Amino acid sequence: MATRTFLSLATRLATSVPGCPQPVIVQYVRDAAIEVCERTLSWRYMQPIIRVTPGVYEYPYTNPTGSEVHAFLTATINGEHLEPVTLEQLAGMYPDWPSTAVDKRSDPRLICQIDPDNFVIAPIPDNSKVYDIKMIVALKPLRDSTGMDKTVFDELEDTIMHGALQHLLVLPDKHWSDRELAAYHSKQYLYKTTERRARANIGAARATMTVKMRPFA
Amino acid sequence: MILNDVITEVRRILQDINAPQRYSDAVLLGFANQALKRIAVLRPDLFAYMGEIPTTAGAVIQSAPADSIRIMEIFQVKDGAGVTEVSRDSLDETYPGWMNDAAGPTVNWMRHVRNANRFFIYPKAPANQILIGEYAQTPQNYDGATTVALLSDAYFPVVVDAAVFIAESVDNEHVNSNRAQLFQQSFTQALGVSAQSRPITDTEESGLPPDLVI
């Protein structure tokens, strides 16, 4: 995975925020990149297969360096769908989880993200067979990352630029403060994040999506 | 411009041509050199020198060369990229650890508002880095035959006026306080007016209101 640095976008932004130090621009580019990734779920990544250990319900994600998981998009275990649920739903369905007795363990059917680094599965896996989890996740850069996947960054560059500028231009009492321009970039940012999210959702397809009408009753 | 020409003109104005002269050549040369330094203080831009500014490795606080009156601009890293001036306050507020980042080619520079010959760079300077910049250079002490650097020949009368003002300010029976004041005003006004006339030459509108320019 080729990485592109946030610094590489700084020169493009510099003319819009004259007098703004480069590290400040880079910081806002990184923050915008995180936000754009969260909103569009465009940085998609297939995790290496995770081999489940009997009795172990919590697993760490294995992401590229400098990234963390914002959400998982699909998860299967041995080719079967893992149902994403909230932690409350999981606890409601399996009240004895995670202290399930050994004889009540079985094949996992539910998955829930605990935090950007870890997820849990339920029921607690038994040792009747080998379980392998496949996942596609949506990533975002870490707060101290210096860059992100080049392909994704190239794709989201305009959106990230507008996101960074909308925040930089509303900083109070700076040489470059300009609320009118900030409003312009804010609108562009909103438009582009929506467009990028829709594009990611339909798999970057060109054809119009069709929706089957649901009966009212 | 050479200061021997200034001395000749000053003697003519002071009517100090015939022997025995009231002021020796050495004294008038001192006055002429002092005149240059006074002009440099009033109008440092007239002595703007563009050249190399070596940096101290591993430091963000840098010093202008020893002959600098004040730093004016940093343009680029020698054989490298351009350097932009930025706000140090913004850097301090948003990224307080900036002084500790690893050394690398300079990308930003910041003035030290209370110290005309010190400035900050980001990031720390690597070894052997040289910046290309501009600073107001203190005029050296010239002998009478060496051409004065940087200052245009058009300022010859200003140097003469300043030297006459100094000569007429000496505390002895030959001086004339009114003439001293006259020449002081003449040289300071010439410097002031020349600064005010810059919009005529340095702007597209030539100093006119924009609505009068087609």
Side-chain angles (χ1 to χ4, degrees), chain A residues 18-24 27-28 171 174-176, chain B residues 85-87 89-91 93-95 98 107-108 122:
Chain A
C20 184
Q22 192 183 77
V24 178
Q27 189 166 314
Y28 277 81
L171 290 176
K174 302 297 177 199
H175 301 297
W176 61 85
Chain B
E85 182 175 0
V86 298
S87 153
D89 281 348
S90 301
L91 206 49
E93 289 162 7
T94 317
Y95 187 50
W98 66 274
V107 293
N108 291 146
Y122 174 83

Side-chain angles (χ1 to χ4, degrees), chain A residues 13-120:
Chain A
L13 269 72
T15 48
S16 296
V17 283
C20 184
Q22 192 183 77
V24 178
I25 297 176
V26 170
Q27 189 166 314
Y28 277 81
V29 168
R30 175 172 46 242
D31 290 347
I34 292 170
E35 197 174 315
V36 170
C37 287
E38 288 176 351
R39 289 193 176 196
T40 66
L41 305 179
S42 290
W43 188 2
R44 295 167 173 206
Y45 176 72
M46 184 177 286
Q47 295 259 330
I49 291 174
I50 298 168
R51 173 65 51 88
V52 171
T53 307
V56 177
Y57 61 89
E58 184 171 341
Y59 296 88
Y61 293 110
T62 51
N63 313 317
T65 307
S67 70
E68 62 185 354
V69 173
H70 179 62
F72 55 80
L73 303 175
T74 66
T76 59
I77 186 162
N78 289 359
E80 297 291 328
H81 178 63
L82 268 173
E83 182 71 25
V85 293
T86 65
L87 197 58
E88 290 81 0
Q89 287 173 321
L90 187 150
M93 294 169 76
Y94 296 97
D96 57 349
W97 183 92
S99 313
T100 314
V102 175
D103 61 335
K104 288 186 177 176
R105 293 174 183 169
S106 64
D107 51 328
R109 292 192 294 273
L110 306 178
I111 184 168
C112 174
Q113 177 166 315
I114 293 292
D115 57 49
D117 295 327
N118 301 287
F119 66 91
V120 293

Side-chain angles (χ1 to χ4, degrees), chain B residues 151-172:
Chain B
L151 190 66
S152 164
D153 282 355
Y155 285 89
F156 177 80
V158 180
V159 180
V160 171
D161 285 355
V164 171
F165 150 62
I166 297 165
E168 291 286 24
S169 303
V170 175
D171 185 16
N172 68 30

Side-chain angles (χ1 to χ4, degrees), chain A residues 155-174:
Chain A
E155 184 74 5
L156 298 175
E157 177 173 327
D158 286 353
T159 316
I160 293 170
M161 181 193 73
H162 289 301
L165 284 176
Q166 68 167 345
H167 290 303
L168 277 169
L169 290 165
V170 292
L171 290 176
D173 302 325
K174 302 297 177 199

